[in-house]
Each structure stands twice: as C-alpha cells, then as structure tokens.
Amino acid sequence: MTDINIGISTENRNQIAEGLKRLLADSYTLYLQTHNFHWNVSGPSFRELHLMFEEHYTELATAVDDIAERIRTLDVVAPGTYKEFAKLSSVKEVDGVPAAEEMVDILTKGHEQVVRTSREVLKLAQDGDDESTAALVSDRMRIHEKTAWMLRATRK
C-alpha cells in the first residue's frame, strides 16, 4: 500500500485514531447493552421501551461501522474484539437483568458517557485539523445528547 497523505500528520492521525478507538469501544458496549435490554425488558412499559431500544441499537450498529471505518481511513487498525473493547470502554458493563426503569437510567448514563468521550475526540480532531473526524464526532454527540434526553423524559 502507498503512504497516506491526507494533510494530517502521522502523529495527529494516530492520536485521533486512539480517541476514535475509545469512542468505538464506548459505542459498541452501549450497543450491546441496548440490545440486551431490548431482549430482556419487561413490565408495564415493555412495548414502548422494547421499540425504543430497538431504534437505539439499530442506530448504534450503523455508528460503530462509521467510527471503525474512520479509524481505517486514518490508516490505523480498528479494534474489533470484546477484549479490546472492554479495555478501551468507559461504559460500564451490567450484570444480570435490571428492572425497566433501571435500564433506562443505565442507558442514559451510557449515552452521556459517549457524549463525554466524543467531546475528548472532537478536541483531538480540531487540534489535528481533521474536519472529517470532527464532523463525524459532532454528529455522534448530537445523536447521543438527544437520545439521553429522550431516555430521561421517559422517567419524569
């Protein structure tokens, strides 16, 4: 393969990719949690939450692909194993099957964590003059902020 020359230094590409790896791990962990909760939610809010969680994990499935492909575009290998994601993720795993209300709270915190990770990566992208990553991460932040708001609204 030829050397990459997209106007971003090797050092900046590597730093940005490391941040994107964390964002990918957070997003994938949140995807798994959301899918798990979709399968296992029960109670009076079952239908509403079951359908909402499906919308969320479907959106996250597309997001993880976009993030991984951006890492590859920067000429860095994207992580792709549970072991790697567990090391990189700031989203905490949950044991067992919590009650529906607790699922909503856990997912809200997960989306908020992804926003915080996104903010860190956005700064790296801006500092590295990487508008493509900045646009991707900015879009991710907006989606996760909105999703967290929607989840919080179900608890009022």
Side-chain angles (χ1 to χ4, degrees):
M1 199 160 137
T2 61
D3 290 336
I4 184 172
N5 183 6
I6 59 173
I8 304 169
S9 72
T10 301
E11 180 182 353
N12 283 341
R13 280 189 297 104
N14 288 330
Q15 288 176 347
I16 293 163
E18 288 304 312
L20 285 169
K21 287 179 183 182
R22 292 191 314 275
L23 181 58
L24 177 61
D26 283 358
S27 299
Y28 199 88
T29 303
L30 185 58
Y31 163 82
L32 288 173
Q33 270 185 352
T34 306
H35 212 153
N36 175 29
F37 292 171
H38 163 79
W39 290 328
N40 292 300
V41 68
S42 61
S45 301
F46 166 78
R47 181 163 173 72
E48 173 191 353
L49 293 177
H50 182 75
L51 294 173
M52 180 189 290
F53 294 165
E54 182 174 11
E55 290 172 9
H56 294 174
Y57 79 71
T58 300
E59 194 283 327
L60 281 161
T62 300
V64 296
D65 196 53
D66 290 344
I67 297 164
E69 288 177 355
R70 184 64 195 160
I71 294 168
R72 293 300 299 135
T73 301
L74 295 171
D75 201 33
V76 175
V77 174
T81 66
Y82 295 128
K83 184 177 181 180
E84 288 175 295
F85 290 150
K87 280 194 268 185
L88 291 166
S89 182
S90 300
V91 175
K92 301 302 174 206
E93 291 281 345
V94 176
D95 293 324
V97 178
E101 297 81 17
E102 189 178 352
M103 288 177 178
V104 170
D105 293 343
I106 290 166
L107 292 176
T108 301
K109 289 176 185 163
H111 283 278
E112 290 172 345
Q113 178 57 57
V114 174
V115 171
R116 292 190 302 275
T117 301
S118 294
R119 288 189 189 288
E120 295 170 9
V121 179
L122 181 61
K123 178 77 170 121
L124 293 170
Q126 291 169 334
D127 291 348
D129 213 18
D130 180 355
E131 291 300 320
S132 297
T133 297
L136 171 68
V137 173
S138 180
D139 288 346
R140 296 304 321 146
M141 277 183 6
R142 181 183 46 79
I143 290 165
H144 289 286
E145 288 170 345
K146 182 177 180 179
T147 303
W149 160 65
M150 293 175 81
L151 287 164
R152 282 190 304 273
T154 68
R155 296 284 281 139
K156 297 211 179 210

